[in-house]
Amino acid sequence: MNNQCLVSVENVSFIYSKTKVLSEITLKITRGDFLAVIGPNGSGKTTLLKLILGLLQPNEGKIQILGKDIKKFSLWNKVGYVPQKATHVDPFFPASVLEIVAMGLLSSKRFPRFITKSDEKKIDQALELVDMQKFKTTRIGELSGGQQQRVFIARAIVNHPDILFLDEPTAGIDGASQARFYDMLDILNRIQKITIVLITHDIGVVNKYIMKIACLNQKLIFHGSHDQFCQSSVIEEFLKGEQHLICHRH
Amino acid sequence: MGIFSYHFMQRALWSGILLSIACAMLGIFLILRREAMIGHGLSHIAFGGVAIGLFFHVLPMVTSLLVVSVAALGIVKIKEKAGVYEDTAIGIFSSIGMAAGIIIASLAGSFNVDLMSYLFGNILAISSLELWISLALTMTIFISIVLFYRELMFITFDPESAKASGMKVSRLESLLAILTAVTVVLGMKIVGLLLVTALLVIPSAAGLQVGKSFGQTLLLSILVASLSVFLGLIFSFYGNIPASGAIILIASLFFLSLFLFRILKIKYSLSG
């Protein structure tokens, strides 16, 4: 694992309807990180992620992914994304698991983006990694929330991305499924060497997996290692009584 | 079959099948994107386009295609750039189209019979030229959907992730709007402006009841739409009833049957 910078956010501010949602954020994400971006509701976590992915444009500052300015970035097959609403799938949407995962391959293909036999092998491998291969022909709406989330991970990693972004991926999923889900992310990070950026408001659940923490509340309050986070007096004040829970690793 | 030995019935069958393929291929995307009523709105706008064509003695299909395409793009852009809800944008554009059509029809006065044929359609009066135009338009829709099938499925299922994968979501939405405009124009002479939405929505809604994958649903929708046209023409011929109405009612019966099948299947699997 080296210290190659995959994402660079420099002095980024974002204003929505005259309200400053993010102010002068500077952050670097290096290869191999398992970074949790935490903060209270409305702190700008999802906004920051959308800015990094080019879904929103910053009012100030500069964002680079894999060394390229986000406005000119084209290597989308190196980036995986699991959105927040992935756990709210339309139960009547008629796509099979295979068709959903195939969507992830489109960024690596040239027009016309037909799915070939070799692509199907990649899909099989991705489904195997998330232990969902036996559901390949199942309609996505027939799966449980936890299973759907695994399919979305498969879609996000089918191109073997360098970095995987997840926005509150376990919202609405039961505790047991959450634990299995984070175990899987841990494997992707350690074995598959995928850099993971996880937006969450429940630091207690992901505590044992993460290496680094970025704490947001319109401004970047903290960015550093898990251990540094536990010793930070600023964080103790910010999170009040939760500090002892957060720093307990299983 | 005897009735299809008549040239006008052959033209009716082919133009109907072509329209049904186009409608079924697009309908599934429109329904899943909660845009099923865009066809309805565009058909109102097409009324204005037809009136303009008849007023200036230009082929109404051409003027409608231009007017409806511009309006379809307008709806997409207004929704995207001005933050207006899509149904509101459809309501505004369709009202303008309808109002313009009424005024032009009233000013001219003499072409109301022609205008009526576009409102209610007359599949049995399709000319060879109109059949060839139908073939060209359907091929345009078919090739576009085949080429952009995966992208359209992606932006329909999860537009945000599609955008984060580098898909040009706005361009694909515009493509879908233009193809819908083409389909409405294609359908106006065949089933009429008032019923073209039904052919866009009902066969796809029927396919959605039982399809296990997107591809399977698409094929089922095409099958339901094509069978509706085929059976509708037979009922129309022997029952001496309007073909457009017969086609849509048969499509509705397919929908109802597949809907009940799904409900019974769920009930059976729960009790079993």
Side-chain angles (χ1 to χ4, degrees):
Chain A
M1 230 173 269
N2 56 39
N3 285 328
Q4 185 196 355
C5 177
L6 296 188
V7 177
S8 161
V9 178
E10 282 177 49
N11 278 316
V12 164
S13 296
F14 182 76
I15 298 162
Y16 181 76
S17 290
K18 294 179 186 171
T19 306
K20 208 159 197 175
V21 181
L22 288 173
S23 180
E24 294 166 9
I25 306 289
T26 296
L27 178 75
K28 285 194 192 306
I29 301 167
T30 50
R31 189 176 286 280
D33 277 357
F34 192 146
L35 171 75
V37 180
I38 62 166
N41 287 335
S43 59
K45 305 184 293 292
T46 297
T47 302
L48 176 64
L49 182 54
K50 288 186 175 180
L51 287 164
I52 291 172
L53 291 167
L55 297 171
L56 294 171
Q57 301 303 317
N59 297 90
E60 289 165 25
K62 191 176 157 191
I63 295 169
Q64 287 190 322
I65 300 191
L66 304 173
K68 287 258 169 99
D69 191 289
I70 187 65
K71 287 174 192 160
K72 293 173 188 165
F73 186 71
S74 59
L75 296 169
W76 291 106
N77 57 323
K78 301 280 182 195
V79 178
Y81 172 49
V82 179
Q84 193 173 20
K85 62 178 180 182
T87 47
H88 304 290
V89 169
D90 173 1
F92 298 108
F93 200 93
S96 66
V97 165
L98 187 145
E99 286 172 325
I100 298 291
V101 181
M103 291 171 186
L105 283 169
L106 299 183
S107 57
S108 63
K109 297 185 76 70
R110 287 177 185 277
F111 179 82
R113 296 174 164 117
F114 297 136
I115 299 299
T116 60
K117 286 278 172 201
S118 68
D119 291 329
E120 284 199 29
K121 273 186 192 164
K122 287 182 192 170
I123 294 168
D124 286 338
Q125 285 167 0
L127 285 172
E128 209 174 310
L129 269 174
V130 298
D131 197 21
M132 286 296 290
Q133 64 273 44
K134 65 182 173 191
F135 297 101
K136 193 175 162 184
T137 56
T138 307
R139 196 164 148 153
I140 186 77
E142 290 172 5
L143 300 176
S144 69
Q147 288 171 325
Q148 284 175 359
Q149 203 54 282
R150 284 171 172 266
V151 174
F152 291 116
I153 295 286
R155 183 180 75 180
I157 62 168
V158 70
N159 280 320
H160 302 289
D162 287 346
I163 188 162
L164 176 61
F165 295 94
L166 303 104
D167 190 359
E168 307 229 13
T170 53
I173 291 176
D174 65 88
S177 299
Q178 281 189 22
R180 280 201 299 275
F181 180 79
Y182 288 119
D183 283 342
M184 186 189 70
L185 287 188
D186 188 41
I187 290 169
L188 290 175
N189 178 244
R190 285 187 299 106
I191 316 286
Q192 301 290 322
K193 310 290 182 202
I194 297 174
T195 303
I196 293 177
V197 179
L198 175 69
I199 304 279
T200 182
H201 65 266
D202 193 358
I203 189 69
V205 180
V206 295
N207 186 40
K208 70 172 179 174
Y209 307 102
I210 53 176
M211 295 172 189
K212 291 182 181 172
I213 293 175
C215 190
L216 273 184
N217 197 2
Q218 274 85 53
K219 291 189 169 206
L220 186 66
I221 293 168
F222 174 87
H223 180 217
S225 70
H226 180 274
D227 293 341
Q228 288 170 329
F229 176 75
C230 291
Q231 290 156 12
S232 164
S233 58
V234 178
I235 302 305
E236 192 175 349
E237 193 180 316
F238 177 68
L239 292 169
K240 299 187 175 75
E242 290 180 70
Q243 178 81 355
H244 69 282
L245 169 74
I246 292 159
C247 289
H248 175 70
R249 282 194 191 243
H250 299 285
Chain B
M1 195 171 285
I3 67 165
F4 293 113
S5 59
Y6 298 107
H7 286 301
F8 74 95
M9 285 304 287
Q10 286 173 9
R11 285 196 297 271
L13 180 67
W14 283 115
S15 58
I17 297 283
L18 289 170
L19 174 67
S20 66
I21 292 169
C23 284
M25 288 186 91
L26 272 171
I28 184 169
F29 293 105
L30 298 180
I31 289 176
L32 292 168
R33 290 169 57 80
R34 310 288 189 274
E35 290 175 352
M37 292 319 287
I38 194 172
H40 194 69
L42 292 179
S43 65
H44 280 66
I45 296 160
F47 177 76
V50 169
I52 291 169
L54 292 172
F55 189 80
F56 290 106
H57 303 288
V58 181
L59 194 65
M61 256 184 154
V62 176
T63 48
S64 296
L65 193 58
L66 283 172
V67 169
V68 178
S69 299
V70 169
L73 283 177
I75 289 167
V76 171
K77 292 296 164 198
I78 278 190
K79 182 185 98 177
E80 188 187 307
K81 306 277 183 200
V84 174
Y85 293 120
E86 185 169 279
D87 54 353
T88 309
I90 291 169
I92 292 166
F93 275 89
S94 63
S95 305
I96 293 169
M98 203 68 186
I102 291 166
I103 288 170
I104 296 167
S106 163
L107 286 174
S110 58
F111 58 79
N112 286 334
V113 176
D114 283 337
L115 208 53
M116 285 298 148
S117 77
Y118 286 97
L119 279 179
F120 297 103
N122 192 354
I123 193 170
L124 304 179
I126 294 290
S127 68
S128 295
L129 173 66
E130 284 165 333
L131 179 60
W132 284 111
I133 293 173
S134 298
L135 180 66
L137 294 180
T138 305
M139 286 310 291
T140 306
I141 293 163
F142 183 82
I143 292 168
S144 304
I145 299 275
V146 168
L147 289 177
F148 292 98
Y149 174 69
R150 297 274 170 191
E151 289 96 320
L152 290 172
M153 196 201 304
F154 200 178
I155 67 158
T156 300
F157 181 69
D158 185 355
E160 190 178 278
S161 295
K163 205 169 177 184
S165 299
M167 301 280 119
K168 307 289 181 200
V169 174
S170 178
R171 281 188 210 169
L172 289 163
E173 284 177 343
S174 298
L175 173 74
L176 208 53
I178 293 282
L179 293 178
T180 310
V182 172
T183 307
V184 166
V185 173
L186 178 65
M188 67 183 186
K189 196 69 197 278
I190 299 171
V191 289
L193 290 171
L194 295 177
L195 287 177
V196 68
T197 313
L199 211 49
L200 268 170
V201 173
I202 298 170
S204 299
L208 280 166
Q209 301 306 310
V210 285
K212 270 190 146 320
S213 67
F214 207 89
Q216 197 186 82
T217 307
L218 199 61
L219 290 174
L220 273 167
S221 306
I222 291 172
L223 186 70
V224 167
S226 305
L227 272 175
S228 303
V229 168
F230 180 71
L231 294 173
L233 282 174
I234 293 173
F235 277 100
S236 162
F237 186 83
Y238 289 111
N240 197 23
I241 52 173
S244 52
I247 291 167
I248 302 306
L249 284 182
I250 286 167
S252 306
L253 281 175
F254 274 119
F255 167 74
L256 198 63
S257 308
L258 292 172
F259 172 73
L260 288 173
F261 173 77
R262 182 173 67 85
I263 298 293
L264 287 172
K265 199 175 148 193
I266 292 168
K267 205 174 167 185
Y268 178 75
S269 64
L270 285 176
S271 64

